[in-house]
């Protein structure tokens, strides 16, 4: 049965009923974290202005907003059909002939997801996420069950230069997401832009000491339980075992990443959160609602933590301390205060299940596994260590270096859009992201 709300009268009525209950202000509810109920300030946004009539017609067929779907206020019978149709309406066809960037056709995108819709699926996605508070980063999400995936936030994206001086990254655990989050591209003032940087399937390799020269500091202390994971297990089951051991060797088979690309993750045992307990709710802080002195010093950037509590209903907040045009970050913080306590306790969004015991904000170390990626170490004339592509059985392994360049350059592998184009399609104008992100090219 088709679940597209534009083609089914029954679902159309259902969508209309949902939309009639959702006020325009809820369109600005953050995608992450999802909320069930909260009070928000009304913020005016611009409407979409598609450039062609066919695109406009397809866009108007959208039913509930993404925020309502994540919060459980709107029910979608088939997320794959719903979101793939939305992405298909937003594809930039003019880029197909130019081969300007890696592309995954919608049909293959659907098939990839569909064949992993089971308990042992191994789907992954890497989202490029320009968040107004957290800043530019990349979210690596790995399927752990039929309905859920663990997520790591990586500031500078995956390393792609085998000879880089900055090959290592911090990977921070975030909330356990619903698997259908792998299908979305969206944007709003409060969450920034989110586009699919790459997607595909993963494999788990043994994390054991090799007879070859080891890579880097991630290769120390490799003898662990993760090296004795039974081979007959599925990759999803191997991921569970490796995750518990704190050492994961992960090969990603994507549309953008080169063939054989492999990374190693090792848990930071110095973290206070490695013992398996979720962080407690941060203590509430009283927010000053009024001030006798009003001057330039009051025009500050809204706080960037989720520790502040929203003002009580009826309290008067002077416009000078919370300007309406720059209240997005403050709104996000107030939303976070209302986050469901069950999400904090389980570290999983509604509908997802934290069966792997992911700990919110726990830190891992991530690096490219150069040997498993097809490279071998050698010495130059001065004795300096260097890495070269390895040849096995007449086949040249490895790949040419690549660099993660950020929102202004990289396009979605599904729709071909830049982050700014995602913003435009979602009707977001005047967005100001956090500054300071710089691509790692050395």
């Amino acid at each position: 049965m088709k679940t597209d709300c534009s083609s089914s009268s029954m679902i159309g009525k259902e969508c209309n009923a949902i939309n009639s209950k959702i006020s325009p202000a809820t369109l600005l509810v953050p995608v992450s974290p999802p909320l069930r109920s909260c009070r928000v300030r009304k913020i005016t946004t611009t409407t979409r202005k598609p450039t062609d009539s066919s695109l406009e017609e397809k866009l108007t067929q959208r039913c509930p907003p993404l925020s309502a779907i994540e919060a459980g206020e709107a029910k979608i019978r088939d997320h794959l059909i719903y979101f793939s149709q939305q992405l298909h309406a937003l594809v930039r066809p003019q880029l197909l002939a130019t081969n300007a960037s890696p592309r995954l056709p919608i049909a293959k995108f659907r098939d990839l997801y569909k064949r992993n819709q089971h308990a042992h699926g191994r789907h992954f996605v890497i989202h490029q996420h320009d968040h107004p508070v957290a800043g530019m980063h990349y979210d690596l999400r790995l399927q752990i069950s039929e309905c859920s995936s663990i997520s790591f936030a990586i500031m500078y994206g995956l390393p792609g230069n085998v000879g880089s001086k900055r090959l290592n990254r911090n990977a921070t655990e975030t909330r356990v997401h619903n698997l259908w989050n792998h299908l979305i591209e969206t944007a709003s003032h409060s969450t920034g832009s989110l586009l699919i940087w790459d997607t595909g399937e993963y494999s788990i390799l043994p994390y054991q000491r090799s007879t070859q020269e080891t890579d880097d500091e991630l290769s120390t202390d490799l003898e662990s339980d993760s090296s004795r994971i039974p081979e007959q297990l599925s990759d999803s089951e191997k991921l569970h075992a490796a995750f518990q051991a704190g050492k994961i060797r992960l090969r990603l088979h994507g549309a953008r990443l080169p063939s054989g690309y492999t990374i190693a993750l090792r848990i930071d045992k110095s973290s206070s959160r490695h013992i398996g307990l979720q962080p407690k709710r941060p203590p509430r802080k009283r927010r000053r609602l009024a001030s006798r002195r009003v001057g330039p010093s009051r025009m500050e950037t809204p706080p960037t933590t989720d520790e502040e509590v929203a003002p009580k209903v009826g309290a008067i907040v002077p416009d000078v301390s919370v300007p309406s045009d720059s209240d997005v970050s403050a709104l996000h913080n107030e939303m976070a205060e209302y986050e469901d306590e069950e999400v904090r306790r389980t570290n999983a969004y509604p509908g997802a299940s934290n069966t792997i015991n992911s700990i919110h904000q726990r830190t891992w170390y991530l690096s490219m596994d150069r040997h498993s990626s097809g490279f071998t170490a050698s010495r130059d004339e001065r004795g300096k260590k260097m890495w070269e592509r390895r040849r096995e059985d007449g086949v040249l392994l490895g790949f040419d270096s690549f660099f993660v360049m950020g929102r202004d350059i990289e396009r979605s592998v599904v729709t071909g859009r830049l982050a700014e184009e995602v913003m435009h399609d979602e009707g977001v104008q005047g967005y100001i992201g956090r500054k300071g992100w710089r691509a790692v090219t050395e």
Side-chain angles (χ1 to χ4, degrees), residues 48-337:
R48 297 185 180 92
K49 295 181 179 180
T51 54
D52 80 45
S53 57
S54 61
L55 178 57
E56 183 176 8
E57 182 181 353
K58 292 175 182 177
L59 286 174
T60 56
Q61 294 173 359
R62 291 188 176 187
C63 292
L66 179 61
S67 57
I69 299 173
E70 277 209 312
E73 298 171 359
K75 302 298 182 182
I76 299 298
R77 298 185 181 182
D78 192 319
H79 291 89
L80 176 58
I81 293 178
Y82 180 81
F83 287 113
S84 63
Q85 287 179 343
Q86 304 308 321
L87 292 178
H88 184 265
L90 297 165
V91 167
R92 297 297 191 264
Q94 65 272 22
L95 297 175
L96 292 175
T98 62
N99 196 26
S101 62
R103 296 297 298 276
L104 184 66
I106 291 293
K108 291 185 177 180
F109 175 73
R110 283 196 296 260
D111 291 342
L112 171 67
Y113 185 86
K114 184 179 295 185
R115 69 172 177 258
N116 286 287
Q117 287 186 290
H118 54 84
H120 301 294
R122 54 194 184 102
H123 194 275
F124 85 86
V125 71
I126 301 173
H127 275 127
Q128 179 201 93
H129 193 179
D130 184 17
H131 195 277
V133 177
M136 258 292 300
H137 64 277
Y138 291 76
D139 294 311
L140 170 62
R141 311 193 202 279
L142 306 171
Q143 182 179 1
I144 58 172
S145 66
E146 186 173 4
C147 64
S148 308
S149 63
I150 54 173
S151 182
F152 297 91
I154 307 167
M155 175 65 73
Y156 299 105
L158 297 179
N161 179 14
V162 69
S164 174
K165 297 178 181 179
R166 299 175 59 188
L167 197 66
N168 303 320
R169 305 282 190 271
N170 281 342
T172 304
E173 289 179 60
T174 60
R175 302 294 187 201
V176 174
H177 285 63
N178 291 282
L179 184 63
W180 56 260
N181 280 103
H182 293 205
L183 302 170
I184 64 175
E185 289 189 354
T186 187
S188 72
H189 279 99
S190 57
T191 62
S193 61
L194 190 76
L195 64 77
I196 299 174
W197 189 84
D198 200 6
T199 187
E201 296 173 318
Y202 67 82
S203 300
I204 301 296
L205 306 183
Y207 207 141
Q208 59 187 359
R209 188 178 298 279
S210 171
T211 56
Q212 303 288 335
E213 186 173 3
T214 56
D215 268 356
D216 44 46
E217 64 269 24
L218 290 185
S219 297
T220 61
D221 191 28
L222 297 185
E223 297 291 348
S224 68
D225 292 339
S226 62
S227 64
R228 296 189 291 272
I229 298 175
E231 285 297 322
Q232 66 269 23
L233 296 181
S234 66
D235 282 294
S236 179
E237 292 172 323
K238 291 178 182 177
L239 175 60
H240 276 255
F243 188 88
Q244 303 309 319
K247 295 181 175 69
I248 307 171
R249 194 174 298 273
L250 184 72
R251 177 164 291 168
L252 300 174
H253 312 275
R256 182 190 297 268
L257 291 170
S259 176
Y261 181 80
T262 307
I263 57 175
L265 294 105
R266 174 173 59 84
I267 200 169
D268 175 15
K269 292 187 177 181
S270 65
S271 172
S272 60
R273 292 174 178 163
H274 76 277
I275 58 176
L277 299 176
Q278 297 295 343
K280 295 181 179 179
R281 185 188 185 98
R284 293 191 175 193
K285 294 183 179 180
R286 295 182 63 86
R287 182 175 180 181
R288 182 176 298 176
L289 301 182
S291 175
R292 295 180 180 178
R293 293 184 59 187
V294 176
S297 61
R298 299 292 298 166
M299 297 293 291
E300 298 176 351
T301 303
T304 58
T305 68
D306 63 351
E307 297 181 356
E308 291 198 348
V309 62
K312 294 181 180 179
V313 178
I316 299 176
V317 181
D319 290 340
V320 68
S321 62
V322 188
S324 59
D325 291 339
S326 60
D327 195 34
V328 175
S329 295
L331 176 63
H332 174 76
N333 297 329
E334 291 165 9
M335 296 296 188
E337 185 64 27

Side-chain angles (χ1 to χ4, degrees), residues 355-376:
T355 58
I356 203 169
N357 193 28
S358 173
I359 306 299
H360 188 54
Q361 295 297 306
R362 182 169 54 180
T363 303
W364 294 62
Y365 295 120
L366 180 151
S367 183
M368 184 200 305
D369 182 344
R370 291 178 282 201
H371 188 270
S372 297
S373 294
F375 297 91
T376 185

Side-chain angles (χ1 to χ4, degrees), residues 404-428:
V404 176
M405 301 305 294
R407 72 187 306 275
D408 296 329
I409 297 176
E410 296 168 337
R411 295 182 177 273
S412 163
V413 296
V414 179
T415 62
R417 297 183 292 174
L418 293 168
E420 191 61 37
E421 293 171 326
V422 176
M423 289 279 191
H424 176 270
D425 291 341
E426 296 296 326
V428 179

